[in-house]
Amino acid sequence: MNIKIFEPSNILEKDNIEFGEYIIIDDFVKIHAKAKIKFGNYIHIGSYSSLMASEGTITMDDFSGLAFGVRLITSTDDFSGFGFGNPSIDAKFRNIKSGAIHIGKYSIIGTNSIILPDVEIPEGCAISAGSIVTKSLQPWGVYVGNRRVGERDRDGILKSFEEFLATPDNERLGRLFKK
């Protein structure tokens, strides 16, 4: 497999992780796979990011990426209801929200963004730095949090992808994978 993991990084419960090809995991990344995590091909996870799959799965499709300091969290306390406290008390006293996170093909999540449980970021989305995404989005949008502020160049991206496919393998890889 062509996977570059820079140290120090902390990857727990690796048996629950399915890795594709050409993945870069920068230094100081924490991944905890209590539930299944699936990485497609050509994935990048920036330094200081964390992926916490405790109750729901995390899936990152081909050509998706997380910038510096992104958080993917599949289970969290919801303090808008009856719940109080933290993991030091029994779950019956907490209002825990859990769900899967899916990052679609060609999507990029900006620096220090947080993706909360039960969120679908479909194909082609770009999430601005510092966003908190609490609900599923629509394809090919540019988002600040949950608010769509623009459109991505779908045709341009797909044309570039076709050129990528037509390029010989040894010429389309980033410098870390070149021999």
Side-chain angles (χ1 to χ4, degrees):
M1 280 197 261
N2 290 301
I3 301 171
K4 305 287 183 186
I5 300 173
F6 292 90
E7 296 299 331
S9 285
N10 190 0
I11 302 176
L12 304 171
E13 303 192 53
K14 290 179 185 175
D15 290 345
N16 289 332
I17 302 174
E18 183 180 328
F19 290 98
E21 293 282 327
Y22 305 108
I23 297 170
I24 300 171
I25 298 174
D26 288 343
D27 53 347
F28 300 102
V29 168
K30 179 165 185 171
I31 300 173
H32 194 168
K34 286 184 182 177
K36 185 175 176 72
I37 296 177
K38 181 179 179 186
F39 296 115
N41 301 312
Y42 302 95
I43 301 291
H44 174 246
I45 300 172
S47 294
Y48 296 98
S49 292
S50 59
L51 289 75
M52 300 294 149
S54 57
E55 298 293 327
T57 61
I58 294 174
T59 304
M60 292 183 66
D61 290 346
D62 298 349
F63 305 100
S64 62
L66 308 178
F68 186 96
V70 170
R71 308 280 182 251
L72 303 182
I73 304 165
T74 65
S75 188
T76 188
D77 285 282
D78 179 352
F79 296 108
S80 66
F82 68 89
F84 73 95
N86 54 54
S88 68
I89 63 172
D90 193 86
K92 69 183 174 189
F93 302 110
R94 298 167 61 206
N95 186 18
I96 300 170
K97 180 178 181 184
S98 299
I101 295 174
H102 177 231
I103 310 293
K105 193 172 186 178
Y106 313 116
S107 290
I108 182 71
I109 313 300
T111 297
N112 287 327
S113 291
I114 301 168
I115 312 302
L116 291 175
D118 207 22
V119 168
E120 165 99 15
I121 297 180
E123 182 174 279
C125 285
I127 311 301
S128 81
S131 289
I132 300 174
V133 182
T134 61
K135 63 183 183 179
S136 295
L137 308 177
Q138 296 298 311
W140 296 101
V142 176
Y143 288 87
V144 176
N146 294 320
R147 187 171 54 93
R148 191 176 184 123
V149 297
E151 304 295 318
R152 287 197 71 201
D153 181 6
R154 181 181 186 273
D155 293 338
I157 290 169
L158 294 178
K159 182 178 184 234
S160 182
F161 178 65
E162 290 299 321
E163 292 172 10
F164 172 86
L165 292 176
T167 302
D169 286 347
N170 64 332
E171 294 177 27
R172 63 178 162 179
L173 296 176
R175 67 178 176 76
L176 290 176
F177 295 111
K178 290 190 177 180
K179 296 181 173 129

